[in-house]
Amino acid sequence: MPELPEVETVRRGLAPAMEDARFEAVVAHRGDLRWPLPKDFVARLKGQTVVGLGRRAKYLLADLSSGDVLLMHLGMSGSFRVVRDGEAKTPGLFHYQRSDYGTHDHVVFRMSSGVTIAFNDPRRFGSMKLFPRSKIEDEPLLRSLGPEPLGNEFDAAMLAQACAGKRTSVKAALLDQRIVAGLGNIYVCEALNRSRISPRRVASTLATRAGAPQERTVLLVDSIKAVLADAIEAGGSSLRDHRQTNGDLGYFQHRFRVYDREGKPCPTRGCSGTIKRIVQGGRSTFFCPVCQK
DNA sequence: CCGCGGGCCTGAGAGC
DNA sequence: TGCTCTCAGGCCCGCG
């Protein structure tokens, strides 16, 4: 579910509750997540202070006073809920337990900032992991990620280079986290419509020509940055599971140009096309066959 | 190395 | 009402 804008929205919600706060208690209601929680998960967290909460691609990374990093991933259906003391429906050790939120609160943090944080994930495609900060360069989940799409490193020259020789579709290339890290199905579809590029175009056709990046590649990079920035500002997209950490919905779904809009008119100015749905790599792609070339 | 398809899970919605 | 089928925002693995 959550792509970069949703994860960044979650990070911004968690940061004031976690940064400079200590884990007073940790409960793992179940550890059989996408990958199993380590046996010493609770012991390694308890008593530690969160020095900073960052994000890399779709991963949240909490730096701990112990020197460990707590890595958290939301999978397809994960969410975090922050509840301040006094806001919970039922009293108890955490003032906020399973019965308060549902049956999928797999991990609950009680923080010294006076909040309880619940990680909820029905499908259990998300998980958490601990590793020493000193080993972050070796972390397999992070090691082969491409650049952050909102960073300076991601530009048309870099994308052109990464696409050179690739026989796969542009859609698949942009979903490949080794090329650029953080995009998912929604924002790839949206960025391609904004830049009027067909998702079926062969990726290598975005490569540099005559020594300079092509205009369409420049436009694609600009569109990716713009759609991500717009979505973050809107608190992400709430289709099924995504919530901001205070429980509010994101509202970028109201601004989708093509995603889940099969049969509706293309929003491109002057375009009379109709949004079409196709399947690429087993996943839905929404695009306008008229203006996206 | 590269690209593709399957699998991991649960829940919502459509169709009968 | 209730069953069955399909699909969902991600990512890893194994195959050819």
Side-chain angles (χ1 to χ4, degrees):
Chain A
M1 149 193 95
E3 306 181 32
L4 187 153
E6 289 73 37
V7 178
E8 178 59 24
T9 297
V10 169
R11 191 197 68 77
R12 292 179 184 190
L14 290 179
M18 294 187 81
E19 286 180 338
D20 302 319
R22 200 174 61 256
F23 290 93
E24 288 182 342
V26 175
V27 172
H29 283 126
R30 63 187 295 175
D32 57 336
L33 307 183
R34 175 61 197 268
W35 56 86
L37 294 182
K39 289 180 291 292
D40 58 356
F41 181 75
V42 170
R44 278 169 76 177
L45 286 179
K46 233 190 224 172
Q48 300 306 319
T49 298
V50 176
V51 175
L53 181 66
R55 178 189 57 72
R56 175 75 174 101
K58 302 171 194 172
Y59 296 95
L60 293 167
L61 300 169
D63 267 303
L64 309 184
S65 47
S66 60
D68 271 336
V69 174
L70 170 64
L71 172 151
M72 299 170 278
H73 193 269
L74 300 174
M76 287 281 267
S77 59
S79 62
F80 280 92
R81 182 75 192 270
V82 175
V83 176
R84 297 209 66 82
D85 284 356
E87 289 178 353
K89 288 182 241 161
T90 50
L93 175 60
F94 294 112
H95 305 277
Y96 189 72
Q97 298 193 356
R98 283 190 192 209
S99 57
D100 224 17
Y101 190 43
T103 54
H104 301 293
D105 282 349
H106 307 311
V107 178
V108 181
F109 302 139
R110 168 68 198 173
M111 305 302 296
S112 61
S113 55
V115 302
T116 299
I117 299 172
F119 172 65
N120 185 281
D121 183 9
R123 294 177 72 179
R124 283 183 285 124
F125 286 177
S127 195
M128 300 190 190
K129 184 170 184 176
L130 283 161
F131 57 84
R133 181 86 211 173
S134 59
K135 296 275 175 55
I136 195 164
E137 301 298 326
D138 303 327
E139 171 49 46
L141 294 169
L142 305 177
R143 199 169 41 193
S144 51
L145 292 174
E148 284 289 318
L150 290 173
N152 292 333
E153 201 189 327
F154 180 64
D155 61 15
M158 178 270 145
L159 181 60
Q161 172 70 35
C163 287
K166 285 229 167 283
R167 301 307 303 159
T168 192
S169 66
V170 172
K171 167 87 185 298
L174 294 176
L175 285 175
D176 184 341
Q177 305 294 299
R178 295 169 298 185
I179 291 182
V180 56
L183 297 176
N185 208 30
I186 292 176
Y187 298 107
V188 167
C189 291
E190 293 297 308
L192 288 170
N193 178 263
R194 286 187 184 213
S195 50
R196 300 188 300 282
I197 294 170
S198 169
R200 298 194 271 213
R201 173 178 279 276
V202 173
S204 62
T205 66
L206 294 181
T208 295
R209 281 183 190 162
Q214 299 179 61
E215 198 179 314
R216 67 162 63 88
T217 310
V218 173
L219 185 55
L220 176 57
V221 166
D222 289 348
S223 297
I224 289 168
K225 289 176 186 280
V227 73
L228 294 177
D230 289 351
I232 290 169
E233 198 185 338
S237 303
S238 291
L239 297 186
R240 280 163 288 276
D241 304 291
H242 171 64
R243 289 284 189 286
Q244 304 191 44
T245 56
N246 61 7
D248 287 354
L249 296 170
Y251 52 92
F252 192 73
Q253 66 278 11
H254 302 303
R255 289 167 53 191
F256 287 169
R257 293 167 60 95
V258 291
Y259 186 82
D260 205 19
R261 293 180 60 78
E262 185 180 20
K264 302 219 166 68
C266 175
T268 297
R269 207 155 61 86
C271 178
S272 58
T274 300
I275 305 307
K276 190 176 169 194
R277 174 185 179 271
I278 60 173
V279 175
Q280 291 178 288
R283 316 191 59 192
S284 290
T285 298
F286 299 90
F287 75 113
C288 172
V290 174
C291 70
Q292 290 181 245
K293 297 298 181 194

